[in-house]
Amino acid sequence: MKVNHHALELEQNYLFSEIAKRLRAFQKENPERELLKLSIGDVTRPLSRVVTDAMKAAAEDMSHAETFHGYGAEQGELFLREAIAGYYAKRGTTIDADDIFISDGAKNDLGNICDLFDSDNTVLLPNPVYPVYFDTSIMSGRKVVFISGTKENGFLPMPDETIAADIIYLCSPNNPTGAVYSKAQLAEWIAYANKNNAVILFDSAYEAYIRDPELPHSIYEIPGAETCAIEINSLSKTAGFTGVRCGWTIVPKTLQFDGASLHQMWFRRTATKYNGCSYIIQRAAAAVFSEEGLAAVREDVNYYMENAAIIKKAMNEAGIMSTGGENAPYVWFEAPKGMSSWECFDKLLQEFGIAGTPGEGFGNAGKGWMRFSSFGTRETVQKAAAVLNQLK
Ligand SMILES: *Cc1c(COP(=O)(O)O)cnc(C)c1O
């Protein structure tokens, strides 16, 4: 037997184990000091009551022969697909419930969707970005090219006609920079993809954090996306589902490549390798889209975005310019005085007891930058803000 040698090409994730190691050492050396984690990439607020009530009711359904559910529909239950289509419709975007596939989270499908594409395709990735796109492309043996997000382009790299790409991952709002593409910018990406016969994989996991009414939440808000884009989203960051697991992937029937329908291919692939998100979780997910559920989402988002505003205010007072944090739960800033990401990480930790995330963990274009997350508790964020203004 030969192993998949591409899987051996993955770099060990030194960064996150190195962060954990340094935080452990800090706590051991300073048992009396509180560690303020602005490095957290997971939500902290609990599920809303309407969601857990739906979960309990669905669990009850399962204990009666009349309402018991075995294997579900291949694409996910219609009640949830219709609820998601209704969520898009509220913003004026028409999505056919039949084009939606329910998943157990975005990360899985961000990798799995590449089952549809030849391994001889070139993948184009923004840099810095969520590391999953790179790792999954490497594991499947695909060539990867990068376009850099920089201070100059506002961390929103645009298409370059001199780069030939077949598969393009876009993450908007971006993790880690918090940057969000405008409609005009996405229109350029769509034009590039349609012209070059490329597919866009659009990760909208943070769309619920967008506050500027001009910014697009979905790539399908822009004409032309229906012939080049797949959208992947999840309830993880929107409704606290990181430990519950539910997401969706939209594969429009209008996507035709090489004379094949990506929708049909994805349906076939899903039916082959996946037996669906559990009925109980799909009921819980549908409750997120109820009036009460969406009100709870707004409350959670407001809470985290207030955290982001507190962090940004403290940064401003310290004279450190930051980006992000206005339409995304991440604040992104350049390490002051030419410090490297790691020097800044150590200074924040040793002097202020604050944990941040070095930007280079998201690609080499993140070197010299740091990410703060606003997913902590208000108390943590306030304590961090009270000392951050001394960071120089
Ligand atoms: C957290 C996150 C996701 C969500 O992943 P799940 O598997 O749904 O929990 C997707 N994309 C990005 C960029 C993320 O940061």
Side-chain angles (χ1 to χ4, degrees):
M1 191 284 275
K2 288 183 190 148
V3 300
N4 172 7
H5 61 101
H6 297 299
L8 297 173
E9 289 162 16
L10 286 181
E11 284 186 37
Q12 289 309 314
N13 208 333
Y14 295 118
L15 183 113
F16 293 98
S17 52
E18 184 62 30
I19 292 174
K21 197 174 114 193
R22 292 192 195 196
L23 297 183
R24 274 196 308 273
F26 172 83
Q27 288 186 299
K28 200 168 165 211
E29 288 155 22
N30 307 281
E32 76 296 345
R33 286 179 72 186
E34 188 182 2
L35 179 61
L36 303 168
K37 281 195 175 180
L38 299 189
S39 52
I40 185 163
D42 195 357
V43 293
T44 51
R45 308 231 325 147
L47 296 174
S48 64
R49 182 56 64 187
V50 64
V51 167
T52 50
D53 281 349
M55 235 181 242
K56 287 178 199 163
E60 189 59 34
D61 285 350
M62 296 299 266
S63 66
H64 305 280
E66 304 74 39
T67 48
F68 166 78
H69 284 72
Y71 287 125
E74 287 99 332
Q75 264 182 269
E77 299 303 336
L78 188 59
F79 64 78
L80 178 54
R81 288 185 285 118
E82 282 178 343
I84 292 169
Y87 176 66
Y88 280 84
K90 277 192 186 139
R91 235 181 264 114
T93 310
T94 306
I95 302 289
D96 186 348
D98 201 36
D99 286 348
I100 300 172
F101 294 78
I102 305 303
S103 69
D104 54 3
K107 190 194 242 186
N108 315 354
D109 274 4
L110 285 163
N112 290 337
I113 196 81
C114 293
D115 277 4
L116 305 190
F117 315 130
D118 194 285
S119 58
D120 189 26
N121 279 312
T122 298
V123 181
L124 180 62
L125 298 183
N127 179 4
V129 83
Y130 189 51
V132 170
Y133 319 147
F134 178 68
D135 286 352
T136 196
S137 301
I138 291 300
M139 280 177 90
S140 55
R142 292 194 175 89
K143 185 180 160 207
V144 176
V145 290
F146 293 103
I147 35 163
S148 290
T150 61
K151 206 172 10 180
E152 290 67 39
N153 65 22
F155 295 96
L156 294 168
M158 295 303 297
D160 177 343
E161 281 296 341
T162 65
I163 297 176
D166 306 300
I167 301 166
I168 302 160
Y169 279 95
L170 295 180
C171 181
S172 180
N174 181 282
N175 176 11
T177 68
V180 187
Y181 281 114
S182 68
K183 286 181 185 163
Q185 288 171 321
L186 285 185
E188 277 190 50
W189 275 110
I190 289 166
Y192 171 92
N194 278 324
K195 184 174 164 215
N196 295 290
N197 194 38
V199 66
I200 294 174
L201 304 177
F202 190 74
D203 182 348
S204 57
Y206 295 98
E207 58 80 19
Y209 291 85
I210 294 175
R211 307 203 131 177
D212 180 342
E214 295 300 316
L215 293 172
H217 289 244
S218 162
I219 197 162
Y220 301 115
E221 289 177 34
I222 294 97
E226 66 285 352
T227 52
C228 65
I230 288 173
E231 181 162 299
I232 295 170
N233 201 342
S234 128
L235 292 177
S236 281
K237 312 299 165 35
T238 305
F241 269 49
T242 52
V244 176
R245 313 305 307 145
C246 191
W248 65 91
T249 295
I250 302 173
V251 189
K253 290 187 204 69
T254 39
L255 286 176
Q256 301 281 334
F257 286 82
D258 260 357
S261 156
L262 292 191
H263 179 94
Q264 273 176 16
M265 287 175 76
W266 186 239
F267 187 95
R268 188 70 178 84
R269 187 268 173 212
T270 302
T272 303
K273 288 201 191 179
Y274 186 52
N275 258 333
C277 176
S278 98
Y279 168 75
I280 296 171
I281 301 310
Q282 292 194 67
R283 279 287 177 205
V288 171
F289 299 102
S290 66
E291 221 168 285
E292 212 182 329
L294 290 174
V297 166
R298 276 193 296 277
E299 212 175 291
D300 286 351
V301 166
N302 287 343
Y303 179 92
Y304 294 130
M305 291 308 282
E306 179 65 23
N307 282 351
I310 292 168
I311 295 169
K312 278 183 83 77
K313 182 162 175 281
M315 305 284 293
N316 282 342
E317 284 168 12
I320 295 167
M321 283 310 298
S322 61
T323 68
E326 276 157 6
N327 295 289
Y330 297 116
V331 176
W332 179 248
F333 63 98
E334 196 167 15
K337 292 190 174 154
M339 278 188 276
S340 71
S341 299
W342 279 114
E343 283 165 348
C344 187
F345 175 90
D346 285 332
K347 184 179 168 80
L348 282 166
L349 184 60
Q350 298 304 331
E351 291 181 23
F352 306 108
I354 294 173
T357 307
E360 61 197 73
F362 305 93
N364 56 10
K367 276 197 172 135
W369 289 75
M370 294 289 294
R371 186 191 80 175
F372 278 155
S373 149
S374 60
F375 284 134
T377 63
R378 181 63 44 81
E379 196 193 356
T380 301
V381 166
Q382 277 168 340
K383 282 181 184 167
V387 290
L388 253 185
N389 54 14
Q390 298 154 38
L391 174 67
K392 287 270 161 34

